[in-house]
Amino acid sequence: MLTTALAGTGVLIGSSIGSAQAPTTQPNWNCRASLIRVDQGLTDLLGLPASPVEPLLANGRNSATAPDNPACLPDSQSAQERIDVTPLTVVGDVLKAETTVTPGLGVARNTRTNTATTSAEKLNLLIQSAIPGGVLVTADAVQSTASASCVAGVPTLTGSSQVTNLRIAGNAIPLDSVLDGIAVPLTDSPLGAVAKVYVNRQETSTAADGSKALTQTALRIEVLGALADVIGKPLATVVLGESRVSSQNGNACDAEPPPPTVTVPGPTTTVPGPTTTVPGPTTTVPGPTQTVPVPVTVTTPGSVSGAGTSPVRNGTNGGCGRLTMFFAKNRRKTLGVRFGQERVVTRGRIVNCSGKSIVRARIDVFHVLPGGTKRLVKTGLRSRELGRLTQIMPRNLFTRKLVFEYRGDLSSSRVTSRQTLQINVRDARGKLVTRAPKGQGKPKF
């Protein structure tokens, strides 16, 4: 059975509201960024699940049949130092996948620039799939980017990628900048019977309704072996640095239709009529009562309430939520450690008010330092399967509070559920460490 187990670090996620968007038939933009993806060809032969493994994926889904979210939304995923995910071991710096929308979602879609980027530095990748000992891939840098925007009313999609100092199984692969976007098979190298490599590949497509798509891939490796001919596909396909943008459901540069105008009947006002005076015996006769309706016109973007901003549900099954967090070492909310001796690991879970797991929920993380200084961890946390959460921090932390906050509505600053943990760090003499010791360097948090 294929398993995905993150070890050595948690995946730290930045802002994302992709899970809150409903499918639409209107023209719009989409984007997706995946730093690492592996498809195993043996799944068909062995009857295993066919979904790809993508441990660092921004604004997308781990699905072979429906990999995209409904629209391009800001999202960021990154990992520190190491990822173990069957059948891969990945070690490197700046492991990141990110999607951005500029200047933001609040402007007309034909004025936005939608971008997907991936990056990795000092990459060491071990592919363990049907090859004894695995296949080791190293590179100084792997990077790709794809961007979509409107130019003179036409969707314009661009992309680029780069791989530097690539080695596979110890063999240096010569890379010439003129080969960007062209598949490069290693037919004349000692690796011809083991791997087939494509560098800086760009694929574009245009649908009948005018929709366009561009996929920029920095590196694609197909692992071959004796069983490859039997199953009719590579034993494993590993994609590094894939960025994708598209305009879907037609021309995303067409002007958006104006929001509907909704007339809401106002309150009914009763106006007393005039008083009539009759000569002779003076008689006061009340005039007729008139009922005058007072119309009120309210214009909002598709909403009668006039709230202006639609709620953005945080995660699948999200909204009303209950957050639980604790230190993995003692399963408590307070932990004492020696400075520089171990990494601090926190774990937790997020469920809704019915007890269902909230998947892909964004959790804001704050570090409150001695003296009250409050720092927001930009990447935050993202819940995975069963609503589980994991964060692994560096060894050089000093004493602080860790505040975890879940907002059921991402368009609001209101906190739905909050958990606070306290870490007390002491030096070799047992003295509380309240700031980074000299010469130790400042922690990333």
Side-chain angles (χ1 to χ4, degrees):
M1 178 177 183
L2 290 178
T3 59
T4 302
L6 297 180
T9 180
V11 178
L12 308 181
I13 310 301
S15 62
S16 171
I17 53 178
S19 60
Q21 300 298 306
T24 176
T25 58
Q26 296 295 321
N28 68 335
W29 299 108
N30 211 339
C31 57
R32 187 180 195 272
S34 176
L35 179 62
I36 305 167
R37 185 179 79 245
V38 57
D39 299 287
Q40 300 212 74
L42 289 175
T43 54
D44 294 341
L45 186 64
L46 301 179
L48 299 175
S51 294
V53 176
E54 291 183 278
L56 281 180
L57 171 62
N59 194 48
R61 303 168 181 167
N62 281 319
S63 171
T65 56
D68 296 331
N69 277 338
C72 187
L73 298 166
D75 192 6
S76 179
Q77 296 199 36
S78 61
Q80 298 175 12
E81 300 179 359
R82 180 184 178 98
I83 298 175
D84 288 312
V85 51
T86 304
L88 300 175
T89 297
V90 185
V91 179
D93 295 341
V94 197
L95 302 175
K96 189 173 184 179
E98 184 175 30
T99 55
T100 59
V101 179
T102 306
L105 295 172
V107 302
R109 64 171 180 248
N110 57 1
T111 63
R112 304 175 197 160
T113 297
N114 307 266
T115 306
T117 58
T118 63
S119 60
E121 296 179 7
K122 299 179 181 178
L123 180 69
N124 285 266
L125 170 68
L126 179 63
I127 309 169
Q128 300 167 328
S129 180
I131 302 297
V135 178
L136 180 63
V137 179
T138 64
D140 287 348
V142 175
Q143 182 271 339
S144 74
T145 184
S147 183
S149 61
C150 295
V151 177
V154 177
T156 302
L157 281 56
T158 60
S160 64
S161 58
Q162 185 178 17
V163 181
T164 59
N165 196 18
L166 176 64
R167 287 180 173 269
I168 300 179
N171 295 274
I173 308 302
L175 300 174
D176 192 320
S177 60
V178 301
L179 297 178
D180 283 356
I182 299 176
V184 183
L186 302 178
T187 54
D188 57 352
S189 79
L191 298 176
V194 175
K196 192 173 183 180
V197 178
Y198 302 86
V199 180
N200 298 326
R201 168 185 279 185
Q202 183 178 108
E203 298 176 279
T204 60
S205 64
T206 302
D209 64 357
S211 300
K212 295 183 177 181
L214 181 146
T215 302
Q216 184 73 39
T217 304
L219 184 62
R220 177 186 176 94
I221 303 171
E222 297 178 354
V223 179
L224 306 177
L227 288 177
D229 293 336
V230 176
I231 63 177
K233 62 175 66 174
L235 301 179
T237 300
V238 179
V239 177
L240 296 175
E242 183 177 84
S243 301
R244 175 181 170 84
V245 290
S246 64
S247 67
Q248 56 190 22
N249 300 322
N251 188 351
C253 294
D254 289 342
E256 298 179 68
T261 299
V262 181
T263 301
V264 182
T268 299
T269 304
T270 301
V271 182
T275 300
T276 304
T277 302
V278 181
T282 301
T283 305
T284 300
V285 182
T289 299
Q290 303 177 17
T291 300
V292 181
V294 181
V296 178
T297 300
V298 180
T299 302
T300 67
S303 171
V304 180
S305 64
T309 302
S310 300
V312 179
R313 182 171 297 176
N314 189 354
T316 304
N317 298 325
C320 175
R322 294 195 296 267
L323 176 64
T324 302
M325 295 298 299
F326 54 85
F327 290 107
K329 185 174 181 179
N330 61 5
R331 301 188 70 84
R332 297 178 182 273
K333 296 187 181 299
T334 302
L335 178 67
V337 297
R338 282 275 299 277
F339 180 83
Q341 295 297 308
E342 60 185 283
R343 290 182 180 273
V344 177
V345 181
T346 60
R347 299 189 187 278
R349 191 180 180 206
I350 180 72
V351 299
N352 64 17
C353 293
S354 299
K356 293 183 178 180
S357 302
I358 303 179
V359 181
R360 291 187 60 77
R362 169 187 166 183
I363 307 297
D364 297 322
V365 182
F366 298 89
H367 287 231
V368 183
L369 308 182
T373 302
K374 189 174 184 181
R375 294 179 179 173
L376 170 66
V377 178
K378 293 183 179 180
T379 52
L381 281 177
R382 173 75 62 186
S383 65
R384 55 187 188 275
E385 187 179 3
L386 301 180
R388 291 172 177 164
L389 298 155
T390 301
Q391 184 184 41
I392 299 178
M393 289 165 283
R395 292 185 176 88
N396 60 344
L397 285 184
F398 51 87
T399 298
R400 64 191 58 204
K401 289 182 180 179
L402 307 175
V403 181
F404 302 84
E405 295 181 351
Y406 171 73
R407 291 178 291 126
D409 178 5
L410 285 172
S411 67
S412 169
S413 61
R414 180 178 176 272
V415 177
T416 307
S417 184
R418 178 186 291 111
Q419 291 276 281
T420 301
L421 308 185
Q422 175 71 43
I423 176 172
N424 298 316
V425 183
R426 298 184 183 276
D427 60 19
R429 296 176 295 176
K431 185 178 179 181
L432 201 65
V433 180
T434 58
R435 61 182 180 179
K438 293 182 179 180
Q440 294 289 337
K442 296 182 178 180
K444 297 181 180 179
F445 294 94

